[in-house]
Coordinates of all heavy atoms in Angstrom, one line a residue:
Chain O
Q775 N -6.6 0.7 -2.6 CA -6.3 2.1 -2.1 C -6.5 3.1 -3.3 O -6.6 4.3 -3.0 CB -4.9 2.2 -1.5 CG -4.8 1.5 -0.2 CD -3.4 1.3 0.3 OE1 -2.5 1.5 -0.3 NE2 -3.4 1.1 1.7
N776 N -6.6 2.7 -4.5 CA -6.7 3.5 -5.7 C -8.0 3.2 -6.5 O -8.1 3.8 -7.6 CB -5.5 3.6 -6.5 CG -4.4 4.3 -5.7 OD1 -4.3 5.6 -5.5 ND2 -3.4 3.5 -5.1
N777 N -8.8 2.3 -6.0 CA -10.2 2.2 -6.6 C -10.0 1.7 -8.2 O -10.7 2.2 -9.0 CB -11.0 3.5 -6.7 CG -11.0 4.1 -5.2 OD1 -11.4 3.5 -4.4 ND2 -10.7 5.4 -5.2
C778 N -9.1 0.8 -8.4 CA -8.9 0.4 -9.7 C -8.6 -1.1 -9.9 O -8.3 -1.9 -8.9 CB -7.7 1.1 -10.4 SG -6.1 0.8 -9.5
F779 N -8.8 -1.6 -11.2 CA -8.3 -3.0 -11.5 C -6.8 -3.0 -11.7 O -6.3 -2.0 -12.2 CB -9.1 -3.5 -12.7 CG -10.5 -3.9 -12.4 CD1 -11.5 -2.9 -12.5 CD2 -10.8 -5.2 -12.0 CE1 -12.8 -3.3 -12.3 CE2 -12.1 -5.5 -11.8 CZ -13.1 -4.6 -12.0
G780 N -6.1 -4.0 -11.4 CA -4.7 -4.2 -11.8 C -4.6 -5.5 -12.6 O -5.1 -6.6 -12.2
V781 N -3.8 -5.5 -13.7 CA -3.5 -6.6 -14.5 C -2.0 -6.9 -14.5 O -1.3 -6.1 -15.1 CB -4.1 -6.5 -15.8 CG1 -3.9 -7.7 -16.7 CG2 -5.6 -6.0 -16.0
S782 N -1.5 -7.8 -13.6 CA -0.2 -7.9 -13.3 C 0.4 -9.2 -13.9 O 0.0 -10.3 -13.4 CB 0.1 -7.9 -11.8 OG 1.3 -7.8 -11.4
V783 N 1.3 -9.0 -14.9 CA 1.6 -10.1 -15.8 C 3.1 -10.5 -15.8 O 3.8 -9.6 -16.1 CB 1.0 -9.8 -17.3 CG1 1.3 -11.1 -18.2 CG2 -0.5 -9.5 -17.2
A784 N 3.4 -11.8 -15.5 CA 4.8 -12.1 -15.4 C 5.4 -12.8 -16.6 O 4.8 -13.4 -17.4 CB 4.9 -13.1 -14.3
K785 N 6.7 -12.5 -16.8 CA 7.6 -13.6 -17.5 C 7.9 -14.6 -16.4 O 8.4 -14.2 -15.3 CB 8.9 -12.8 -18.0 CG 9.8 -13.8 -18.8 CD 9.6 -13.8 -20.2 CE 10.3 -12.5 -20.7 NZ 11.7 -12.4 -20.5
A786 N 7.7 -15.8 -16.6 CA 8.0 -16.9 -15.7 C 8.9 -17.9 -16.2 O 9.3 -17.9 -17.3 CB 6.6 -17.6 -15.5

Side-chain angles (χ1 to χ4, degrees):
Chain O
Q775 292 171 335
N776 293 283
N777 310 307
C778 61
F779 286 88
V781 184
S782 190
V783 183
K785 179 101 75 61

